[in-house]
């Protein structure tokens, strides 16, 4: 018997069903080398993510200059021994700016994602456990929220309350909460029918115990992989907002704003615009690869 | 480097102009025009009584002549044989209507404050009107050259199509999308305009605007970022048009609240401005160092004798120390993209401040609502002042103690008296001296720091001929439509 | 078709209308929280208290918010979504000028992206685990990972500025030939495809694989069916529900989510219209746009639901 | 180690169609290692012969069966050996050649027809698909042939059933249609993989009968995979006993059933006939649980407070202290629901439940912690009943701290005792449920319930998911616990022999109604309710030839009746009852009557009627015993 998957596989597309490869290449299944349970692509993802997380923590210590210091009158400078990643539109050191920006990018996106997934999951469990009108109300409200395009919503929020880091986090969190809610609710409804939950109910446990101790741990894996994807979306949403000048405001800068504020250097191929874009791409690709290979173990 | 003007203009062709802004607020009502796109559009379809030449001196357009004895009562002779696009001739009633409507709040005119100087406008003959002002103002012909005072037909209430006397007829106008004008064959200036058709639309994104120019999709753009100039210059068949003007973004230190109340704080902040750095870093050299007073060197009243205030961290430190703000809690400094270059300036000031132990907390706010809610309300922020046709208008609107837009809340009786005296003064030398005194007052006591006058940068295709920059606004002070032509 | 399908559809429709109502209330009251109003926005630097008051009365902004909401709602129900506060044109006319462009862009993008995405998704599901599958996957991930404004700007630099093949701007007016059409639409469509193809193909792949691991597919293999038959006759018909759903979700992005593409290519779509409306606080217009986005989303989802219902014999046949 | 007899001599008449030798199949584990799951399997099958593969779950039956089609599931790989089917050397064939063989020369019938049919295509489409793929006949011909097969398989409305979708026919019918799908191409070999395991016994017998008919008529060569010896005895000529992927014994059916040599085969046979466990005499004082007039179901309650889908109706039963009441009935009859109602997970719409004479509140919210403690529920599937993220220690510790407030040290001590009680090694305490075998999980599941020190255990199909040998051990454990701890059981199962093995009283449920209630001895004899009779006579006997004889034991065909009056609660079994009477059964509510032997039944038929009509079975059973 194959090991029972610890998660109810309704949402994750491939539950580990033993029914197998219907297509022709069954014999071609070569055992891939796995380290930490990850395929080579997954390892690449892990390395990228780990690199950027380390940069977020230690980046400012490593950075050669202060992020705001104007060092040169030459702008959009190329890669040189003075500016490892070139200089920006004011003649500031791009390497330092990217390193400082790592915190904003990862921090903002991480907090927003955690909020979205955390509250989404919490509400989903409340919704699934309580059922009835509360369930309908929450589901309907989130449906309505999901139908407003995310950038429009962000735009209205920023227009209403001014752009601040706190507001960006709240906006991104609200934008991505409905999706997290939907997925977590489907999971919770599934887990709730599991017999161990019934056993706990029949034992007389309170709903807090049931949701937190019995249900949550068994939803956490798909919720986490969803969280990873959401993180990518938040990074992209924030960079999109930066493009519309609604994102993180100077002198602070996340990578999206770095791309944005230097975009006029693109025509001359300035590293100042390419490097932060590269940073965004590597981070999101890394997260994607990592998640794909966590989830797709048996594919 | 204005394009040289070959002798014979060529007729025909279509020109596309892309401006920096366009929205559903776009309008064909001259009274409501509020930015370069609107002005440019309005000048295609309407004429004013006057216009400004390249030296900012007034030139007659629909007015044949304007006469006055006391600078208070003006007689305007109108040009004959001018027809609106609907075929009706221009009459004094049109002028009366066009000028008087600004005084009605319901019109929502952008120049109501200025128009309130006009006491009445009356027809005084078949082709003559009389304008009576509430007080003397020798600059009336200059004032009437602004876009809002363009002449529309008597009784016009709907502005879905333009009915003016201008060189082009409106063939399409979609707010936020585009405006298309086709040649008005009955235009009263013989042989003009040269173009068959002209199209204006907005491309808010600067990079996109430059790309559109370089890819040949448009012929002329404004608001070019100094950082894009090298790219445009490097591309054959494209040029950069530099127009030095009185445009400036200024540091506004409110004189009526916390740190700004102390004169030492104000002075300290002025010494903290590294004008040279701002000029090179923020504007890539496309700016003229300013001296904390609003009259720019192109203006005939510019006082060259005023000593330049240097960037002096020591003096700044001394004054700010006296004001007691060093090392203490961060002071918020509000900037916005609404005030061009202010964000960069704020960041550069923050860096300078850090060196002397002053912590500036730069807050960048969205352009949205900036003018209503932040500008002139925060203790330390930025403003952005477009060039005004006359020193008087500028001083009256922004520096008089009771001015609507007295940015820093500055109050100076001596200044106010000088301003009123200068209006009635007809002797140029004496007048210039008065303006010089006022400039000194603002320089020393005013609550604003003006780092630089910003050079207007436009990009154009060298196929366009006939360009003569006017140091007030882009696109030849927005009137380019009727003067330019396309080379083969 | 039978009453079950009818009832299911009616139920979805009713829920959709309820959702629209919730959105209209939400949008109205969020926008009411916005600092400043149409009068302030219109006057900008020139605002003085008396001018503001005059304009507010003219716009009807001096009335209480709930009253304004209900008069707007009743107007909407009567097919009159109001008059723009900013330029006094009927909102219907403003939207009418932009919506066709938006729909055209969305339509062209959908027509290009859906076949590509489905092909990629289905083939990579068929050859899952192969080099091809991995290549497609990495490509898809990279495509979604690059901010769209960068993709768009780079495309403009290459194809318009340097090569002069395509137009940097997408004018919708004056297109008469197919070549002009391609010239104008190629770049926005490519950019948008980058955003949505990856999403759709990945979900298609997952949905098809889901079916490919099912017992009846195994059964079909044991009946001697070849790979093509298995995917087309067995897996696909059962994957239609989730695939259509994924497609609908991705396509719903094409109306409201394209601000950046519209602003870079200067495309006169409805997203920029709404951005303008928010900036100028033109409430009737903001409301109308929000309702359109929401309705479009709901319609797509409803359509997906119907397709899923009709494709599923368990629901279709009682 | 056992040697097994193998070779051409053991084959029956006819030339050999299948020759397998040295078959090796390996599975690819997570760590990339290849682990053998089938080793050294070799057998031959003669033309027209039916060979059975038997063994417990995971013994490699399916794996071997699939390898006959040259197929290995994802993660598995055929690593060695030789398979010859007819003229095909299966393991040397490429994908194209395999496609040509599958469905044409070798056909497969899967365990769960419900899953093996494509839900979005019609049955006919799927039945004739292999004929279409291999282009051996025209669509018309194939359809005609399919209709013929439907008829041979005793499917209702054979002309039109093909135009239905899978969800429109019952599980038993679907299984038979799958047989038609296999036979449509007249394959040389048919592989049947547990084709009746998922069915209720009453349905199983019909399907077996249909299969047997067709196999005999067509002279098919077949491999029949099953874990049920009694079923295999009906179908097979020869049997291979498998364990852990190796062959343990091969022989003719008679040989395996009556003269097993291998110890494992013997234990398999022993477990297949569960012995009746000795029961301690239940105490005679006040009943522990009394259920009266219970009505329950799911869905929104209507105006009368009755749920929209009523699952249980008028349930009355009593469980004495220290006794076991068995609940039996087919799938969907409401067994689990009954347990859930007692546990408080489903609120009853009518009726009362008294625990020790004290009313149990209908919903969870109103029950006291002590009431919770006294009633414990043990679910069927230990995989889902144990939280996969919690260790066994944590799972057992929770009720100890929750009900008894034990601290960590006391918990530890008690857990050790509990593990000892259910005969689990002490080292499982730190393991996750996924690291235990099925039988061990079920023991842990039981230990958790016992941790509460309950008075009443609700056991819902606790042995159904287990192999017979392991299941028998659990039954022994339950009997032992009852003796030692004096707990009472409500024992739910769909398997009659299991229920009879350990219960004092038996309740037969049919679509939510108690159709019969009797002491366990009484179930073996007539008179009984017609449904109980059908049930009893559908359980295969462990002897060849039972299937053929079974035909005469239940009434064949249904007596015609007029339209039923659905406005009153008529007998729910009326649609399937061979003893129904027109004018009574379809119009009058059946009476509940008490027979001399303590049986209560819900039926219109008189006792003498029943006795007479059910007599043949008694005679049969006596012969068998
Ligand atoms: N896809 C797979 N990958 C890896 N191992 C597998 C796979 N399928 C089955 N196995 C392993 O192969 C062994 C034999 O499995 P198989 O399905 O043949 O057993 P079975 O006798 O048919 O059992 P059951 O009665 O449960 O159907 C088991 O130990 C099982 O864990
Ligand atoms: N949560 C539920 N909601 C609605 N109907 C349900 C629910 N659970 C069970 N049912 C229905 O109630 C009926 C009885 O179900 P129950 O699980 O009690 O049967 P069972 O006798 O235990 O069957 P099995 O042998 O398959 O376990 C079935 O028709 C089932 O479809
Ligand atoms: Mg099996
Ligand atoms: Mg059950």
């Amino acid at each position: 018997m194959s090991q029972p998957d610890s998660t109810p596989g309704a949402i994750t597309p491939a539950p580990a069903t033993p029914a197998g490869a219907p297509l022709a290449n069954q014999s071609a299944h070569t055992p891939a080398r796995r380290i930490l349970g990850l395929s080579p692509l997954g390892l690449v993802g892990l390395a990228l993510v780990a690199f950027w997380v380390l940069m977020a923590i230690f980046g400012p210590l490593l950075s050669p200059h202060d992020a705001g210091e104007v060092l040169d009158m030459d702008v959009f400078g190329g890669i040189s021994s003075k500016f490892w990643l070139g200089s920006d539109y004011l003649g500031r050191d791009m390497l330092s700016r990217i390193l400082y920006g790592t915190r904003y990018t990862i921090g903002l996106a991480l907090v927003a994602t955690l909020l979205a997934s955390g509250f989404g999951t919490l509400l989903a469990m409340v919704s699934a456990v309580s059922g009835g009108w509360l369930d309908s109300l929450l589901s309907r409200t989130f449906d309505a929220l999901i139908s407003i395009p995310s950038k429009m919503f962000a735009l209205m929020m920023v227009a209403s309350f001014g752009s601040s880091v706190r507001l960006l986090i709240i906006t991104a969190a609200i934008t991505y909460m409905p999706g997290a809610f939907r997925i977590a609710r489907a999971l919770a409804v599934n887990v709730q029918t599991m017999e161990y939950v019934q056993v706990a109910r029949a034992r007389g446990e309170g709903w807090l115990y049931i949701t937190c101790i019995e249900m949550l741990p068994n939803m956490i894996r798909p919720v986490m992989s969803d969280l990873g994807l959401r993180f990518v979306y938040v990074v992209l949403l924030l960079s999109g907002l930066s493009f519309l000048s609604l994102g993180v405001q100077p002198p602070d800068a996340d990578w999206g704003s770095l791309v944005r504020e230097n975009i006029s250097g693109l025509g001359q191929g300035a590293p100042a615009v390419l490097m932060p874009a590269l940073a965004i791409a590597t981070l999101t690709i890394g997260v994607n690869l990592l998640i794909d290979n966590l989830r797709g173990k048996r594919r | 480097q204005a394009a040289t003007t070959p002798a014979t203009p060529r007729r025909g062709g279509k020109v596309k102009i892309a401006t920096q802004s366009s929205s559903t607020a776009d309008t064909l009502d001259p009274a409501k025009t509020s930015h370069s796109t609107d002005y440019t559009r309005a000048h295609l379809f309407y004429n004013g009584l006057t216009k400004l030449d390249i030296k900012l001196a007034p030139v007659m357009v629909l007015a044949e002549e304007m006469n006055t004895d006391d600078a208070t009562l003006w007689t305007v002779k109108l040009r004959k044989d001018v027809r609106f696009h609907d075929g009706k001739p221009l009459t004094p009633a049109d002028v009366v209507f066009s000028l008087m409507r600004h005084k009605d709040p319901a019109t929502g005119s952008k120049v109501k404050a200025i128009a309130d100087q006009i006491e009445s406008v009356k027809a005084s003959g078949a082709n003559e009107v009389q304008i009576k002002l509430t007080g003397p103002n020798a600059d009336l012909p200059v004032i009437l050259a602004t876009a809002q005072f363009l002449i529309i037909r008597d009784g016009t209430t709907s502005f879905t199509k333009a009915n003016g006397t201008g060189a082009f007829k409106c063939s399409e106008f979609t707010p936020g999308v585009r405006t298309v004008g086709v040649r008005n064959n009955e235009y009263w200036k013989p042989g003009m305009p040269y173009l068959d058709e002209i199209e204006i639309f907005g491309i808010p994104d600067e990079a996109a605007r430059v790309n559109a120019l370089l890819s040949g999709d448009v012929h002329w753009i404004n608001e070019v970022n100094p950082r894009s100039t090298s790219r445009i210059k490097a591309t054959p068949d494209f040029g950069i048009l530099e127009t030095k003007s009185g445009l400036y973004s200024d540091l506004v230190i409110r004189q009526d609240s916390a740190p700004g109340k102390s004169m030492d704080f104000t002075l300290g902040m002025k010494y903290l401005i590294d004008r040279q750095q701002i000029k090179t870093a923020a504007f890539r050299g496309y700016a003229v160092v300013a001296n904390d007073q609003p009259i720019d060197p192109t203006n005939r009243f510019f006082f060259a004798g005023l000593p330049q205030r240097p960037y002096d961290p020591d003096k700044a430190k001394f004054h700010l120390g006296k004001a007691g703000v060093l090392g203490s809690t961060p002071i918020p400094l509000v900037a916005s993209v609404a005030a061009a270059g202010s964000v960069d300036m704020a960041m550069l000031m923050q860096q300078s401040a850090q060196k002397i132990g002053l912590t500036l907390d730069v807050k960048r706010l969205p352009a949205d609502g900036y003018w209503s809610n932040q500008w002139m309300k925060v203790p330390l922020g930025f403003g952005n002042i477009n060039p005004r046709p006359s020193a008087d208008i500028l001083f009256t609107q922004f520096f008089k103690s009771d001015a609507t837009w007295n940015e820093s809340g500055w109050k100076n009786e001596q200044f106010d008296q000088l301003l009123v005296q200068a209006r009635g003064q007809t002797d140029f030398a004496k007048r210039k001296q008065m303006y010089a005194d006022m400039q000194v007052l603002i320089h020393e006591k005013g609550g604003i720091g003006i780092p630089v006058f910003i050079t207007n940068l436009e990009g154009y295709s060298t196929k366009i001929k006939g360009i003569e920059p006017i140091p007030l606004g882009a696109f030849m002070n927005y009137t380019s439509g009727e003067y330019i032509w396309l080379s083969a | 078709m039978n009453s079950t399908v009818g009832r299911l559809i009616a139920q979805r429709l009713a829920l959709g209308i309820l959702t629209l109502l919730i959105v209209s209330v939400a949008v109205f009251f969020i926008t009411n929280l916005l600092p400043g109003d149409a009068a302030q926005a219109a006057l900008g630097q020139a605002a003085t208290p008396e001018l503001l008051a005059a304009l507010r009365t003219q716009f009807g902004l001096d009335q209480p918010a709930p009253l304004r909401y209900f008069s707007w709602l009743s107007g909407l129900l009567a097919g009159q979504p109001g008059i723009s506060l900013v330029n006094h044109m009927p909102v219907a006319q403003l939207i009418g000028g932009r919506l066709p462009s938006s729909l055209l862009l969305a339509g062209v993008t959908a027509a290009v992206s859906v076949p590509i995405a489905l092909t990629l998704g289905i083939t990579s599901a068929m050859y899952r685990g192969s080099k091809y599958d991995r290549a497609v996957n990495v490509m898809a991930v990279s495509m979604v990972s690059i901010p769209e404004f960068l993709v768009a700007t780079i495309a403009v630099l290459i194809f318009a500025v340097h090569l002069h093949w395509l137009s940097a701007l997408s004018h919708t007016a004056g297109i008469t030939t197919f070549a002009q059409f391609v010239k104008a639409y190629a770049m926005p469509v490519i950019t948008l495809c980058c955003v949505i193809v990856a999403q759709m193909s990945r979900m298609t792949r997952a949905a098809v694989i889901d079916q490919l691991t099912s017992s009846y597919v195994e059964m079909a293999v044991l009946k001697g069916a070849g790979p093509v038959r298995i995917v087309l006759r067995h897996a696909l018909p059962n994957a239609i529900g989730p695939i259509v759903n994924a497609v609908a979700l991705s396509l719903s992005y094409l109306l409201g989510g394209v601000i950046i593409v519209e602003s870079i290519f200067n495309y006169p779509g409805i997203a920029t219209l709404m951005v303008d409306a928010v900036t100028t606080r033109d409430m009737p217009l903001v409301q109308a746009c929000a309702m359109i986005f929401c309705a479009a989303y709901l319609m797509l989802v409803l359509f997906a639901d119907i397709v899923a219902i009709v494709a599923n014999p368990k629901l279709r046949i009682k | 180690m056992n040697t097994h007899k193998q070779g051409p001599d053991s084959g029956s008449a006819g030339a050999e169609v299948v020759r397998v030798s040295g078959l090796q199949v390996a599975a690819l584990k997570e760590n990339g290692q290849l682990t053998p799951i089938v080793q050294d399997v070799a057998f031959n099958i003669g033309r027209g012969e039916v060979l059975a593969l038997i063994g417990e779950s995971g013994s490699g039956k399916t794996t071997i069966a699939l390898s006959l089609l040259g197929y290995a599931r994802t993660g598995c790989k055929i690593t060695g050996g030789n398979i010859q089917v007819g003229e095909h050397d299966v393991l040397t064939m490429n994908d194209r050649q395999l496609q040509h063989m599958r469905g044409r020369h070798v056909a497969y019938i899967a365990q769960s027809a419900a899953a093996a049919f494509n839900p979005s295509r019609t049955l006919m489409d799927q039945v004739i698909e292999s004929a279409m793929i291999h282009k051996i006949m025209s669509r018309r011909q194939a359809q005609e042939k399919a209709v013929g097969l439907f008829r041979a398989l005793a499917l209702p409305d054979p002309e039109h059933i093909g135009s239905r979708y899978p969800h429109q026919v019952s599980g038993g019918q679907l299984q038979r249609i799958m047989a038609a799908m296999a036979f449509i191409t007249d394959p040389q070999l048919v592989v049947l993989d547990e084709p009746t395991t998922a069915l209720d016994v009453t349905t199983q017998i019909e399907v077996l009968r249909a299969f047997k008919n067709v196999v005999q008529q067509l002279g098919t060569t077949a491999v029949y995979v099953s874990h049920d010896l009694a079923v295999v005895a009906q179908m097979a000529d020869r049997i291979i006993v498998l364990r852990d992927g190796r062959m343990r014994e091969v022989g003719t059916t008679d040989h395996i059933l009556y003269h097993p040599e291998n110890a494992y085969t013997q234990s398999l046979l022993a477990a297949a006939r569960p012995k009746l466990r000795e029961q301690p005499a239940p105490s005679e004082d006040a009943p522990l649980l009394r259920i009266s007039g219970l009505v329950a179901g799911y869905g929104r309650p209507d105006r009368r407070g009755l749920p929209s889908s009523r699952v249980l109706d008028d349930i009355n039963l009593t469980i004495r202290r220290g006794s076991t009441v068995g609940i039996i009935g087919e799938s969907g009859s409401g067994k689990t629901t009954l347990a859930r109602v007692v546990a408080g997970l489903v609120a009853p719409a009518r009726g009362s439940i008294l625990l020790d004479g004290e009313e149990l509140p209908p919903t969870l919210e109103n029950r006291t912690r002590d009431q919770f403690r006294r009633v414990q529920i043990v679910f069927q599937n230990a995989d889902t009943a144990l939280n996969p993220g919690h260790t066994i220690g944590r799972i057992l510790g929770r009720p100890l701290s929750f009900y008894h407030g034990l601290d960590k040290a006391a918990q530890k001590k008690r857990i050790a005792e509990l593990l000892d009680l259910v005969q689990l090694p002490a080292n499982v305490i730190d393991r996750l449920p996924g690291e235990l075998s099925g039988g061990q999980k079920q023991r842990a599941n039981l230990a958790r319930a016992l941790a509460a020190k309950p008075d009443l255990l609700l056991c819902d199909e606790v042995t159904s998911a287990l192999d017979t040998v392991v299941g028998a051990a659990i039954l022994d454990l339950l009997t032992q616990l009852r003796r030692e701890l004096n707990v009472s059981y409500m024992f739910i199962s769909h398997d009659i022999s299991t229920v009879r093995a350990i219960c004092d009283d038996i309740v037969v449920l049919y679509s939510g109604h108690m159709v019969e209630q009797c002491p366990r001895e009484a179930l073996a004899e007539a008179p009984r309710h017609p449904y109980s009779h059908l049930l009893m006579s559908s359980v295969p006997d462990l002897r060849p030839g039972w299937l053929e004889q079974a035909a005469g034991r239940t009434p064949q065909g249904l007596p015609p009746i007029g339209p039923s009056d659905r406005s009153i609660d008529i007998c729910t079994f009326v649609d399937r009852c061979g003893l129904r009477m027109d004018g009574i059964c379809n119009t009058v509510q059946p009476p509940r009557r008490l027979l001399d032997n303590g049986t209560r039944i819900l039926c219109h038929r008189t006792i003498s009627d029943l006795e007479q009509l059910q007599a043949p079975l008694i005679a049969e059973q006596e012969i068998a015993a």
Side-chain angles (χ1 to χ4, degrees), chain A residues 41-53:
Chain A
L41 273 182
L43 281 178
V44 172
L46 180 70
L48 287 173
V49 173
F51 173 76
W52 284 121
V53 169

Side-chain angles (χ1 to χ4, degrees), chain A residues 236-266:
Chain A
L236 294 175
L237 173 75
L238 290 177
S239 73
L241 285 182
S242 298
F243 177 82
L244 299 170
S245 304
L246 302 170
V248 175
Q249 301 293 311
D252 303 329
D254 66 339
W255 295 338
S257 347
L258 290 181
V259 176
R260 173 57 180 161
E261 66 188 17
N262 292 306
I263 195 124
S264 48
L266 189 61

Side-chain angles (χ1 to χ4, degrees), chain D residues 44-60:
Chain D
N44 297 337
I45 310 175
R47 186 170 308 285
E49 190 189 18
V50 177
L51 174 78
L53 298 177
I54 189 153
E56 66 192 56
S57 179
S59 56

Side-chain angles (χ1 to χ4, degrees), chain C residues 122 203-218 220 229-245 304 307-316, chain D residues 114-122 126 129 165-167:
Chain C
I122 292 168
M203 299 195 28
T204 304
R205 177 181 178 274
V208 173
I209 285 181
D210 219 29
Q211 298 303 321
L212 287 179
T213 52
S214 68
S215 298
Y216 61 79
V217 164
E218 186 173 45
R229 184 183 186 92
I230 281 171
V231 169
L232 295 186
R233 302 288 303 265
H234 288 276
L236 217 47
N238 292 292
I240 280 182
I243 291 178
V244 176
N245 226 315
V307 170
I309 289 171
V310 170
N312 185 343
K314 277 191 195 161
L315 298 173
R316 175 160 41 108
Chain D
F117 273 98
N118 188 331
S120 62
R121 301 179 61 200
T122 62
Q126 303 187 58
E129 185 172 14
Y165 283 91
H167 72 276

Side-chain angles (χ1 to χ4, degrees), chain D residues 12 32 106 136 180 197 203 240 271 310 313 372 388 412 432 479 495 538 562 590:
Chain D
S12 64
V106 187
I136 47 179
T197 306
T203 320
I240 296 178
R310 218 188 306 170
D313 217 339
F372 280 127
K412 214 170 164 168
L432 292 173
T479 322
D495 180 21
S538 300

